[in-house]
Amino acid sequence: MSKRQASSSAAASPRKHPKRAPDQSSLDTFFGASTSPAAQRNPKPQTPARQSDSAQAPIRPVGRPSSPAHPRKGSSGNLQHSAAPEVIDVDLLDDPEPAGPSSSGPRDRPPFESGPPKTGSGQPTSDLGAVTKVSAPEYPSLSVDPIAFDLGVALWSPEAPAPYSFLAHALSTLSETRSRIAIINTLTNTLRAIIRFHSASLLPSLYLLSNSLSPPYSPIELGLGPSIISKAIQDVSGLTSAALRRLYNQTGDPGDVAFEAKSNVRTLIPHPPLLICGVYGSLLKIANSRGQGAVKQKQSIVHKLLVAAKGEESRFLVRTLSQHIRVGAVRTSILTALARALVLTPPLNLPTPATVDSPYLVSAELLAKVEPLPTKPSKKIVDDARLQVVDRFSAAEALIKKVFVQHPNYDHIVAALLEAGIDGLAERVPLAVGIPLHPTLGSPMRSLDEVYERISGTPFVAEFKYDGQRAQIHAVRDDGGILTVKLFSRHLEDMTDKYPDVISLIQHVFSSSPDLSSFILDAEIVAVDPNGGLKSFQELSNRPRKDVQLHEIKISVCIYAFDVMYHNGQILIDLPFRSRREILRTKFPPIKLSQPGAARLDHVESCHSEDGRDAVEEFWLRAVDSQCEGLMIKLLDHGEVVENAAGSKEKSRKKPLPATYEPDKRTSAWLKLKKDYVVGLGDTLDLVPVGAWHGNGRKAQWWSPVLLALREPDTGRLVAMCKCMSGFSDVFYKAMKERYAEDSENCSKRPLWGHVETGGYSPGVYFRPHEVWEIRGADITLSPVSVAARGLVSDSRGLSLRFPRFLKTREDKSPEQASTPDFLAGMYRDQQGKGRDQGGADEGQLVDVDLSEAADEDDDDE
């Protein structure tokens, strides 16, 4: 389960921890919520009635006779109505409840049948007039070179809000390509058109493209179950739940089901188009529905959206509702496209930009000089005008990405861009207390020798890498003395309510420091015993997680602070680590309160390179034998890093390496030496690949991660125990995708091999078990997801492997010779006996997490 979980200050209600997008198991029940298994096995025969063709779904008016009506239009720009299951009767638009299914005729029809519905006699189904099908608007290609994209002609009605059909067109284009160039071009042209023709739709578009509704630290939770969406599709399309199930079995995607289900639906009167702002506003209404009747209200909103959706809108609307839009637009791509869009198309309401003086904007004269790209462009661009535009692109991208990682809030960024343009962005959206910045990430090393080779004599400090939860602590005391404290996780989620003891500690820090007004600390929250000894992450994960009261805390924690990014109104991230470390240690001394169970504040245990290599190696061995995960090696001063491409005959080059705090970068100024990274540490397992998920980012064309299983010798079953996405080369990925081609004899969307038990894992595809891989891991952990070895160590939980890494394919072994649950349980007991219970996740959520997946996702975003 990935730690990465990709959020607007628009909602006034309290935020909850964001829900993970529906997994495959919930999608598998997506369209079966209202149908019992018995009913699916033995469906009732349809009554023929007047229609003789049971394959056609009749379209007929439901309810009272038709009369002129004026549907009410809400503030979002969408029709406020409820639709009957099989036909949209304009007189029923304001009815509070949709009409129920008709019993006078069959409702089921083949999922992909096209053409107008017919009755058995071929006569119209109603005497109210002809039904109509409104075709989706035509838009130009969005994947073309943005410099050549023509905005001279409005893409929708002048001065009208941006239609959702345009965004659906963009999402459709994105879903059809894996080319990064095409993705960036499509996003750039989409945002250019929105900025030019309706800039108020820019913010909702960014959230909808990023599959979110608000910043990650103030998440707005949709709270939609699959049954709400499936019922809305069923009501709007007129299909039975069995027909929807057949559609889902054929397509495997709820958005595709909605598209096919609505493909034959006709309406008596065309509906006003959905708007981008309207769809986003409706999603906020769903998220903010509370109390009695909330489910009914959510159902009504989803129903109205689907009634008004046309063509591709249905597909991507349902994918958005199910929080899985399936396009290759990661955050970095969106920010890149936003920067390029602003370079080419600054907001119209700004004063005439001085494009000559701006390092980001381009003039019309310069654009006119850019030559069209050839059909087969060469690797090197020789067009001087285009090179100048590309330079502007690079400068704008660097600015927007820098602002975003320090202040990840689209609301604030878009407001500043529309008010002052890209030139005024950094001044209006600075790093601020209360808004988490993306943390600096460490680069993994395999040995101390590799560390010394990389840093080439630059002074460093080695620090214990504690096995806890990374926390970013924000605190500010206003002029009235009111103190505000916020805690954020590694992935910027607000976890303040989890740690009231930490809040109490910070209050003590301010009460004992009258000159202190604000700070941002980077720290690790670690479970400790009464004597200060370290406890495992597993014990930290047993603390309550929501609405925790101070008197309920039974597991004490220590805040091991290792960096400070902000202090008393001063931004410190541009200072070298030596200076930041000095401020941290002088301004925030260790604190141990006398109250039982109170949180503590301390500095990470460390060792300087000036102490000599022998001291550093001894310090490393202490880390290996302790409850720590390893070491973090951090440069104290700006230095240089040695670069030499493998196989290159050129001499090694030295590249400047700043010791600044680099948000969201995996920098060589921070090197991560973990116990599981060191060659030769830990036993290996022989596991069988039994499934996989579609990759993300750079790995989108491959299977990643892969689900691995043990074999139970008594039953012959294969039992899934962990996901793996580390240790593979690109060559291996390609070969694996060929070996496990989708819908081949080795790969299926459905579980065809019954002797495989996946437990809590729900892969996107299932593999035919026929080969064995050798896997090395860091530690064995109790897992709420895996059922491997359940009952051998714990009655309620199975065992899983932390940080699994592929070593090689065991061609000399068959699945019958794979490792067994007894062998895994023995490894776990040996680990416990050595005091190496690392049972939990690293640096993030208190759940069973595959950190190799999180690390690779970070790499993809970079």
Side-chain angles (χ1 to χ4, degrees), residues 222-234:
L222 267 180
L224 276 180
S227 60
I228 292 179
I229 306 175
S230 62
K231 185 178 186 302
I233 297 174
Q234 184 177 347

Side-chain angles (χ1 to χ4, degrees), residues 469-480:
Q469 184 170 28
R470 190 167 181 176
Q472 200 175 114
I473 305 174
H474 292 234
V476 60
R477 178 166 50 189
D478 62 20
D479 295 337

Side-chain angles (χ1 to χ4, degrees), residues 57 193 251 282 359 362 463 629 641 646 751 822 847:
T251 65
S282 295
V362 296
E463 299 178 342
E629 293 182 326
V641 61
D822 287 332
V847 292

Side-chain angles (χ1 to χ4, degrees), residues 386-400:
R386 182 177 290 275
L387 289 174
Q388 292 184 52
V389 175
V390 170
D391 288 341
R392 301 289 204 280
F393 282 168
S394 299
E397 291 164 21
L399 173 65
I400 284 189

Side-chain angles (χ1 to χ4, degrees), residues 254-414:
D256 294 342
V257 171
F259 177 83
E260 297 295 344
K262 281 210 64 182
S263 61
N264 289 327
V265 171
R266 308 294 190 272
T267 59
L268 296 177
I269 292 181
H271 294 282
L274 288 173
L275 307 174
I276 293 176
C277 291
V279 171
Y280 179 70
S282 295
L283 297 181
L284 292 180
K285 289 180 182 178
I286 292 173
N288 292 324
S289 296
R290 299 287 187 276
Q292 291 184 349
V295 173
K296 184 177 178 181
Q297 184 180 9
K298 292 179 180 180
Q299 177 76 53
S300 175
I301 296 173
V302 173
H303 190 277
K304 293 169 185 176
L305 288 171
L306 283 176
V307 165
K310 305 177 184 70
E312 289 292 330
E313 294 177 330
S314 302
R315 191 193 312 273
F316 291 100
L317 182 61
V318 168
R319 288 184 182 178
T320 296
L321 292 171
S322 58
Q323 302 175 38
H324 187 51
I325 58 175
R326 294 181 61 182
V327 298
V330 297
R331 166 173 53 87
T332 304
S333 299
I334 293 175
L335 294 175
T336 298
L338 178 61
R340 297 185 181 186
L342 290 163
V343 169
L344 299 173
T345 313
L348 292 175
N349 61 321
L350 297 178
T352 303
T355 54
V356 176
D357 298 328
S358 172
Y360 310 111
L361 304 180
V362 296
S363 64
E365 292 77 13
L366 178 60
L367 287 177
K369 297 177 182 178
V370 177
E371 299 177 3
L373 286 173
T375 305
K376 295 182 178 180
S378 60
K379 295 182 179 180
K380 185 176 181 180
I381 298 176
V382 295
D383 181 1
D384 183 65
R386 182 177 290 275
L387 289 174
Q388 292 184 52
V389 175
V390 170
D391 288 341
R392 301 289 204 280
F393 282 168
S394 299
E397 291 164 21
L399 173 65
I400 284 189
K401 290 176 183 178
K402 179 179 179 180
V403 169
F404 185 88
V405 297
Q406 295 183 24
H407 195 119
N409 186 307
Y410 280 133
D411 299 69
H412 300 168
I413 290 174
V414 170

